[in-house]
Amino acid sequence: MASKGKVLVIDDDPDFCEFMRIGLESDGFEVLTAANGKIGLELMRREKPNLVFLDVVMAHPTEGVDVTAMIKEDPELWDIPIIMLTSIMDTEYIGHFPTDKPLPIDQFLTKPVPMAEVLRIANETVGAKS
Amino acid sequence: MIDLHPLKLELVERISWLIRLRWVAVASTLAGIAVARLVEPALPVLPLVLVTATIAFYNALFVLYARSLWRRRGTGLRRRRSPTFIAVQIVLDLLALTALLHFSGGIENPFGVFLLFHVIIASILLSRLASFGVALLASTLYAGLAFSELAGWLPHIHLPQLADPWRYANLIYVAAQVTAIALTLLPAAAMASSVAERLRRRTQELLQANQVCEINRSELADVNERLRQLDAARTQFIVMVAHELRAPMGAIISALNLVLGGYAPPEKQREVLERAQARAYELLDLIRDLLELVRARRIEGPAQGVPVRTEKVLENVLGLLRVEAESKGLSIEVKVAPDLPPVIATEDQLRSVWTNLISNAIKYNRPGGRLTITLTQDGDQVVGAVEDTGIGIAREDMPRLFEEFFRSTQAKAMVQRGTGVGLAIVKRTVESYGGRVWAESELGKGSKFSFSLPKAPDELATASLEDKQELS
């Protein structure tokens, strides 16, 4: 089966990466995973994915946010759609966000996201781009 | 210090007040003489002015003496000499007033009641006994003056405008006047000094009560601050626990969703469920940690344990943690002294002590670092220590290291997740068996955590070993 598109999952939780891989692959996507922002950026530059799922809170509370900033500064990467995922649920962590500027992301989802929702978004976003 | 006591200080201030009052008295007397002379031409002005001048003279001396006394600050001299100084002044004043009265008609002069002032001043400034003394002296001087004039020992100066020329010679009148004066002065001394004394006592009590209040207030503020910090830490802890619970819970839900929704191909389903199971165990571990902390917090007094071999428990724990250490490239060195006696504890608790200390040493070590674990005997104590080559602990964080929920700045920077509970459990557990925990550290170089536990009593130790042999 031909790949519907390349999806990159950046998350420091290996289980979460694996579950995303299994779900997305079962729907015909090619899936790459990265355990941190640095590896994620390298993979983006090398593999040019069609869509990125990015976790906000990794080793540092704002690692995900920092990654988005670097993506949008890179002319080769800036048009790759980014879906931000988080398990943030209180204002204490939200306080880490740079509230003075809008986040350069396409959508913001709270974990756990039902796989149906993940696939719907992936199909819509990648379909619209290609 | 005592010299600055408010009551004593007041006495010192009152001396200045008394001296100022005397200047007023000198001026008033002179004015009084001038006015009286207009009314009564027979008034002998010269002796009266001379007496008044004497008052002014000794008051000037008092000023000088008071100044020299003020300068000797803090010697206690001021405090010791002040009452005597006041008494001397009052006695001189009484003598001077008696002289003035003598030269202005003796018993004919209605200003004899001025003696009352001196008694009241003495009551305010001196002790009750001293004020009685002053009242008695005043009465005696007045009686002495009146009777001396009556008897002719002192010349009587008659003021014709003021009184009947022979009044001073009327025994009944003199006796009545002297009695009236004495009966005024003595009760006045009693009343004024009792009021003054009560005031002094009240002031003293108020001052003491104030001091107690001040102490209580600062103690309460301390307690309040500690409670506030503890409460803030608890709240933070609950938030942290919620985050910690949410991560594995989210993973488990994602796994179930994957399988139940049919997104996982059949050959992947088992793997997904196994991962979910592992996360469920992770949740369980976290809950166990929390319960352990709660249990350790509840133990009051010495805990009940059995003889346990520390080195065996260490071996088990190392078996579980070795993989984690090696994945970080750490080299582990274990030095266990031979023939260690067992300690009194439970195996579970001892395992938790070792696990917490060793997993900390792994977590906060630098990649490729060293881990040294030693177990020795020191007298009747078994001493365990875990040394790492990690981030170390800042000096200011050391005292709070074993507090519940506390995590050092370096620890937070290095590993985001952590409950701050591990070392608190270690401390509570070890101390509940009569042991001790301590830490040494150098920032950036590494840390060493040690604990000591008393060895099991010999008869218990042998009994338990025999049990084991029978079993095997």
Side-chain angles (χ1 to χ4, degrees):
Chain A
M1 190 169 74
S3 165
K4 282 186 183 177
K6 248 187 238 177
V7 178
L8 170 63
V9 180
I10 308 175
D11 196 306
D12 63 344
D13 185 333
D15 289 338
F16 182 80
C17 290
E18 200 49 34
F19 297 157
M20 290 289 277
R21 178 201 298 286
I22 291 169
L24 286 161
E25 279 181 353
S26 78
D27 201 43
F29 288 95
E30 187 184 338
V31 181
L32 309 160
T33 61
N36 61 44
K38 192 164 165 272
I39 301 174
L41 278 168
E42 275 170 25
L43 274 174
M44 282 181 84
R45 292 198 178 101
R46 204 169 65 217
E47 301 284 339
K48 301 287 183 316
N50 304 99
L51 173 65
V52 176
F53 284 101
L54 174 65
D55 187 26
V56 181
V57 182
M58 288 182 274
H60 304 293
T62 58
E63 193 168 329
V65 177
D66 300 342
V67 169
T68 58
M70 288 166 84
I71 291 169
K72 292 304 162 185
E73 274 169 22
D74 190 329
E76 280 187 54
L77 304 179
W78 70 270
D79 62 342
I80 298 175
I82 296 168
I83 311 293
M84 205 167 225
L85 295 167
T86 176
S87 49
I88 287 172
M89 52 182 173
D90 73 292
T91 49
E92 203 173 314
Y93 270 11
I94 290 171
H96 288 297
F97 273 78
T99 47
D100 52 334
K101 53 184 177 191
L103 285 170
I105 58 167
D106 297 77
Q107 207 162 345
F108 201 90
L109 297 173
T110 305
K111 284 188 193 173
V113 188
M115 191 43 73
E117 179 76 358
V118 171
L119 295 179
R120 189 186 60 76
I121 292 167
N123 280 307
E124 274 177 19
T125 318
V126 176
K129 287 271 163 186
S130 53
Chain B
M1 276 302 161
I2 306 159
D3 207 28
L4 294 174
H5 189 284
L7 282 183
K8 304 295 182 193
L9 209 66
E10 187 189 87
L11 193 66
V12 170
E13 280 165 8
R14 285 297 166 90
I15 291 176
S16 329
W17 169 74
L18 193 54
I19 290 172
R20 281 201 307 278
L21 199 65
R22 193 171 293 108
W23 291 125
V24 176
V26 167
S28 319
T29 307
L30 289 175
I33 292 167
V35 173
R37 184 71 165 80
L38 294 176
V39 185
E40 179 57 85
L43 197 72
V45 173
L46 187 64
L48 287 174
V49 170
L50 280 177
V51 175
T52 313
T54 311
I55 299 175
F57 175 69
Y58 69 65
N59 205 32
L61 290 182
F62 289 159
V63 170
L64 293 177
Y65 182 68
R67 275 188 197 157
S68 82
L69 213 54
W70 284 188
R71 270 199 293 273
R72 301 199 208 174
R73 194 171 260 287
T75 55
L77 194 73
R78 224 155 75 172
R79 187 164 47 86
R80 283 197 305 276
R81 290 205 184 154
S82 291
T84 322
F85 185 28
I86 289 173
V88 168
Q89 293 184 55
I90 290 172
V91 169
L92 280 176
D93 285 339
L94 282 176
L95 290 171
L97 179 58
T98 310
L100 284 174
L101 286 174
H102 167 65
F103 290 117
S104 55
I107 202 153
E108 286 169 18
N109 190 333
F111 289 94
V113 291
F114 273 19
L115 289 166
L116 191 59
F117 290 143
H118 301 79
V119 174
I120 289 171
I121 288 170
S123 306
I124 293 170
L125 298 183
L126 302 173
S127 68
R128 179 176 285 225
L129 194 66
S131 50
F132 267 118
V134 169
L136 204 62
L137 177 66
S139 305
T140 311
L141 284 172
Y142 191 72
L145 173 70
F147 286 109
S148 301
E149 288 185 12
L150 173 78
W153 298 331
L154 277 175
H156 175 69
I157 291 152
H158 175 54
L159 305 176
Q161 302 292 325
L162 206 62
D164 173 6
W166 297 105
R167 180 182 279 184
Y168 80 97
N170 182 336
L171 176 64
I172 304 293
Y173 178 78
V174 169
Q177 176 78 359
V178 164
T179 311
I181 290 282
L183 285 185
T184 308
L185 296 184
L186 290 167
M191 289 179 223
S193 65
S194 103
V195 170
E197 201 143 288
R198 205 178 306 159
L199 262 175
R200 271 199 291 267
R201 214 169 37 236
R202 285 276 158 80
T203 314
Q204 180 90 52
E205 281 166 9
L206 263 177
L207 282 169
Q208 276 165 356
N210 253 352
Q211 272 170 352
V212 172
C213 278
E214 202 56 40
I215 292 166
N216 284 348
R217 215 167 57 96
S218 71
E219 268 174 10
L220 272 179
D222 282 356
V223 170
N224 203 19
E225 179 57 21
R226 275 206 302 278
L227 283 176
R228 204 190 55 71
Q229 282 176 0
L230 200 64
D231 189 51
R234 291 252 153 88
T235 309
Q236 205 195 336
F237 178 65
I238 290 168
V239 170
M240 204 187 288
V241 167
H243 277 287
E244 291 290 307
L245 293 175
R246 194 173 163 108
M249 193 59 97
I252 292 166
I253 290 172
S254 298
L256 295 177
N257 176 256
L258 213 56
V259 175
L260 294 176
Y263 303 106
E267 72 276 11
K268 292 275 186 184
Q269 284 181 3
R270 188 180 176 85
E271 187 207 333
V272 172
L273 290 177
E274 274 170 358
R275 281 175 181 267
Q277 179 177 266
R279 300 306 290 264
Y281 279 126
E282 184 191 317
L283 265 181
L284 208 57
D285 282 352
L286 183 59
I287 292 164
R288 189 206 53 209
D289 254 17
L290 294 174
L291 287 176
E292 199 173 336
L293 174 67
V294 172
R295 189 179 55 183
R297 281 162 61 91
R298 263 210 304 263
I299 294 172
E300 299 275 339
Q304 297 294 313
V306 292
V308 185
R309 291 213 165 270
T310 3
E311 68 276 20
K312 293 274 181 233
V313 179
L314 172 63
E315 212 173 284
N316 286 337
V317 172
L318 269 176
L320 293 171
L321 292 176
R322 201 175 282 275
V323 181
E324 198 184 331
E326 279 165 2
S327 76
K328 210 175 171 179
L330 303 178
S331 62
I332 305 178
E333 192 184 348
V334 184
K335 290 184 261 184
V336 178
D339 302 324
L340 280 174
V343 298
I344 293 290
T346 67
E347 212 170 298
D348 276 355
Q349 285 176 315
L350 206 54
R351 187 179 303 128
S352 125
V353 168
W354 278 122
T355 307
N356 275 308
L357 293 181
I358 297 172
S359 61
N360 272 356
I362 295 170
K363 222 187 321 184
Y364 301 112
N365 217 322
R366 61 181 162 76
R370 214 171 48 247
L371 195 62
T372 313
I373 300 163
T374 53
L375 197 52
T376 53
Q377 186 174 358
D378 181 12
D380 57 356
Q381 303 278 320
V382 174
V383 181
V386 179
E387 192 173 359
D388 63 55
T389 51
I391 51 174
I393 301 145
R395 188 183 294 269
E396 65 266 25
D397 284 341
M398 292 294 281
R400 298 189 60 196
L401 221 47
F402 293 98
E403 275 180 25
E404 288 155 18
F405 314 138
F406 178 78
R407 296 186 72 212
S408 77
T409 325
Q410 285 74 30
K412 276 190 227 164
M414 185 169 177
V415 180
Q416 187 207 335
R417 282 176 193 163
T419 52
V421 169
L423 288 177
I425 292 176
V426 170
K427 181 181 162 75
R428 296 259 181 183
T429 306
V430 168
E431 284 181 356
S432 69
Y433 289 106
R436 206 164 71 78
V437 288
W438 65 96
E440 300 142 81
S441 182
E442 197 175 334
L443 197 56
K445 292 261 176 77
S447 310
K448 182 179 181 183
F449 285 85
S450 312
F451 67 91
S452 66
L453 279 167
K455 67 168 194 171
D458 287 341
E459 65 278 8
L460 260 179
T462 9
S464 86
L465 291 179
E466 277 165 7
D467 281 354
K468 286 204 174 140
Q469 273 163 0
E470 273 169 34
L471 279 172
S472 56

